[in-house]
Amino acid sequence: MKRLLVLLLLFAAHNATAQQTRSKSIALLHVTIIDMTGATPKRDMGVLITGDRIASLPQSKRLRIPGGALVINAAGKFLIPGLWDMHVHFTEVARTFPLLVANGVLGVRNMGGDLSDLLRWRADVADGKLVGPRIISCGPIIDGPEPAAHGPTIVVSNAVEAKQTVDMLKERGADCVKVYDRLPRDAYFAIIDEAKRLGLPVVGHVPLSLTSAEASDAGQKSIEHLGTILEGSSTLGSELFKLESSTQPVTDPSEFPRRIAARGALMLDTYSEQEANALFARFVRNGTWQVPTLETKWAQTFIDDLNRSDDDRLKYIPASERQWWTPEKNFFARYRTPEYITFRRRLWEKELELVGAMHHAGVKFMTGTDLSGAYVFPGFSLHHELELFVQAGFSPIEALQAATRNPAIFLGESNSQGTVEKGKLANLVLLDRNPLANIRNTQSIAAVILNGNYLSREYLNGLLADAAQRARR
């Protein structure tokens, strides 16, 4: 009976939305627009959407509404651009896409996956076969011998193999090239050179064979997870990197977290604000973007607390996946030692401070959650990432720009998306409450407009119900 009720609700929600989106135009009346340009919010505005574009943005009383338009009274509501999660990994879309769209996340950058699947899903979204976000994809991760990367990975050992891999990814339709921890120096710089020649941005980790400063100078466009910025800000310099490896055999798995904690504590103890500021200035000069993925760092740090919490979002995660989130089974948590737990909490505070310092120095940021890790939920976690940006020192508008305007600038598409302006794509989120008053208000989603299609709150509830039902199968 419950299954039948869910199916009926989904059908009703879909049918209502289908009727709405048959209209050639959508007119929003009396809405407050937060356009993300930095301008003061515009009150009592009208928004006319024709096809998949914003056609006009006059005062509400001056909006000319064409016949047959879907008219929405948006008095008391707030309109922002669709949100982007610029660091995700997913291998299925049946649950992931509904959760993203229902949370107003209308664009994602997949940072490692099967390129054939990702390109097929992107085409299905564009063709209307799937309701989902736009996908920017790097395809498989490129790593060196004895790769540290998980999931689809291409291993290269030298510059020739590296160049050939970039050529192959370009030919197959990748949007970017993701580099990883164990790339040899010559392979890394060959990737950079060939990607520049082909017009592909290089993004990802900073390999252990070079520093964050070298990666920035080389032209790596975005650094994920804060790279090796803390190592690069240590007064020990290259000496700290030499502690990365040890020739001593390891028989006890807990030896690894003990070593990480000892090296990490030394790194934090030798942090130099002067060294850090010099590195930040380099990022600003080179235009190196940062995607700190604070959400996954937060989840890894406080996994014990999260494991004890009664989180309603767990209903969207299958039990087969959820079991690997427990500290006893989680890859990153099961061998932790007391020293490591203490270090992680200290590291979390320092990284939060680091993000704020870089932001105030003028370094460019985008939001990303590293979706796929424990207690990182599709769509939902992007809203918490925004909270963490504010906690780090961003104003609410700056945090929102990191999820809207900044990805558009990064992708070279600021002429078509990222702000609420005439002529831009109609990928929008309608909120019940003002996100500038409290960043948590991004969660008060009244409706989503996806490629010019109005998705009502009822329809979004149907997407969530469908995702929860799939998780129970």
Side-chain angles (χ1 to χ4, degrees):
M1 184 66 183
K2 281 186 178 179
R3 178 178 171 81
L4 178 61
L5 179 60
V6 168
L7 290 174
L8 287 172
L9 286 171
L10 284 173
F11 176 79
H14 174 77
N15 192 50
T17 305
Q19 292 174 359
Q20 292 168 347
T21 56
R22 275 201 295 266
S23 302
K24 292 182 180 180
S25 299
I26 300 170
L28 303 181
L29 299 176
H30 310 298
V31 70
T32 296
I33 297 175
I34 305 172
D35 64 18
M36 295 303 154
T37 66
T40 302
K42 301 177 179 68
R43 303 184 186 280
D44 197 23
M45 298 295 290
V47 181
L48 180 64
I49 295 166
T50 302
D52 64 353
R53 298 277 172 168
I54 299 172
S56 63
L57 294 163
Q59 284 289 314
S60 189
K61 63 184 178 182
R62 294 192 176 93
L63 183 66
R64 294 186 177 182
I65 303 174
L70 171 67
V71 180
I72 305 294
N73 182 357
K77 301 189 187 304
F78 301 82
L79 190 69
I80 63 171
L83 304 170
W84 277 79
D85 189 332
M86 291 296 282
H87 194 123
V88 302
H89 300 271
F90 51 75
T91 56
E92 61 86 29
V93 299
R95 285 181 305 104
T96 305
F97 277 14
L99 294 175
L100 290 167
V101 171
N103 278 282
V105 179
L106 308 185
V108 296
R109 184 178 59 156
N110 194 291
M111 294 294 288
D114 183 282
L115 193 55
S116 297
D117 286 341
L118 292 163
L119 293 178
R120 184 179 73 254
W121 293 330
R122 178 162 71 188
D124 286 347
V125 169
D127 293 342
K129 296 177 183 177
L130 284 175
V131 176
R134 180 178 168 204
I135 303 172
I136 301 295
S137 178
C138 298
I141 295 166
I142 308 178
D143 206 352
E146 300 182 12
H150 301 280
T153 305
I154 300 171
V155 174
V156 301
S157 302
N158 53 55
V160 173
E161 293 175 357
K163 177 181 179 299
Q164 291 171 345
T165 299
V166 175
D167 293 343
M168 179 272 294
L169 290 173
K170 173 67 174 182
E171 184 177 348
R172 291 190 59 199
D175 301 301
C176 46
V177 175
K178 182 179 180 181
V179 293
Y180 217 74
D181 294 353
R182 292 181 179 164
L183 274 173
R185 285 179 66 88
D186 63 337
Y188 175 85
F189 288 111
I191 288 170
I192 290 283
D193 290 342
E194 187 66 1
K196 283 181 180 177
R197 188 182 74 82
L198 297 176
L200 285 176
V202 175
V203 300
H205 292 205
V206 174
L208 298 173
S209 58
L210 61 152
T211 66
S212 289
E214 289 177 308
S216 177
D217 287 346
Q220 184 167 327
K221 192 168 183 181
S222 75
I223 292 176
E224 314 299 307
H225 321 299
L226 300 177
T228 56
I229 295 172
L230 281 171
E231 288 89 340
S233 302
S234 167
T235 55
L236 292 177
S238 60
E239 291 300 312
L240 188 62
F241 286 91
K242 293 178 183 178
L243 299 175
E244 187 68 36
S245 59
S246 173
T247 57
Q248 296 179 0
V250 174
T251 56
D252 179 3
S254 64
E255 179 62 22
F256 287 111
R258 270 194 288 268
R259 288 181 182 179
I260 292 170
R263 176 185 177 276
L266 184 61
M267 173 185 71
L268 295 177
D269 288 341
T270 57
Y271 176 81
S272 164
E273 189 173 328
Q274 182 178 354
E275 295 288 340
N277 287 336
L279 185 55
F280 303 164
R282 210 172 199 135
F283 292 155
V284 173
R285 182 170 66 250
N286 294 330
T288 309
W289 291 78
Q290 301 293 324
V291 185
T293 62
L294 292 174
E295 176 72 346
T296 197
K297 292 174 179 290
W298 174 83
Q300 288 174 9
T301 303
F302 301 104
I303 190 169
D304 296 300
D305 298 332
L306 293 169
N307 185 55
R308 290 189 291 266
S309 67
D310 184 17
D311 194 324
D312 186 58
R313 298 172 299 176
L314 289 170
K315 67 186 176 187
Y316 301 115
I317 309 299
S320 59
E321 181 179 338
R322 220 164 47 230
Q323 66 171 322
W324 299 107
W325 288 16
T326 63
E328 295 76 23
K329 291 189 176 182
N330 182 260
F331 177 79
F332 294 101
R334 56 186 165 179
Y335 299 119
R336 293 173 303 159
T337 62
E339 307 99 307
Y340 181 82
I341 292 172
T342 299
F343 160 66
R344 279 296 314 190
R345 296 207 173 212
R346 185 181 172 196
L347 177 64
W348 165 250
E349 295 297 332
K350 190 63 181 181
E351 288 185 324
L352 207 61
E353 175 190 316
L354 190 70
V355 168
M358 279 196 287
H359 170 59
H360 291 302
V363 178
K364 299 185 288 187
F365 278 84
M366 297 182 291
T367 52
T369 64
D370 202 8
L371 172 64
S372 76
Y375 294 97
V376 179
F377 299 88
F380 294 99
S381 285
L382 194 279
H383 294 279
H384 191 234
E385 182 80 1
L386 290 169
E387 288 184 52
L388 293 173
F389 267 55
V390 171
Q391 189 177 334
F394 286 63
S395 68
I397 186 66
E398 290 168 339
L400 281 165
Q401 286 172 331
T404 55
R405 185 193 67 172
N406 292 4
I409 294 172
F410 177 87
L411 296 170
E413 298 179 357
S414 56
N415 63 328
S416 63
Q417 62 168 317
T419 56
V420 184
E421 296 180 281
K422 181 179 178 180
K424 300 281 180 85
L425 287 166
N427 288 318
L428 306 163
V429 182
L430 189 63
L431 302 174
D432 283 323
R433 295 187 291 277
N434 184 359
L436 302 187
N438 186 331
I439 195 63
R440 291 187 178 184
N441 288 341
T442 59
Q443 300 172 55
S444 66
I445 297 175
V448 165
I449 299 172
L450 178 62
N451 298 320
N453 297 313
Y454 186 82
L455 308 183
S456 66
R457 182 65 257 177
E458 291 74 20
Y459 182 88
L460 300 180
N461 288 342
L463 292 180
L464 293 173
D466 184 47
Q469 181 189 13
R470 289 178 181 275
R472 292 193 295 270
R473 291 176 183 171

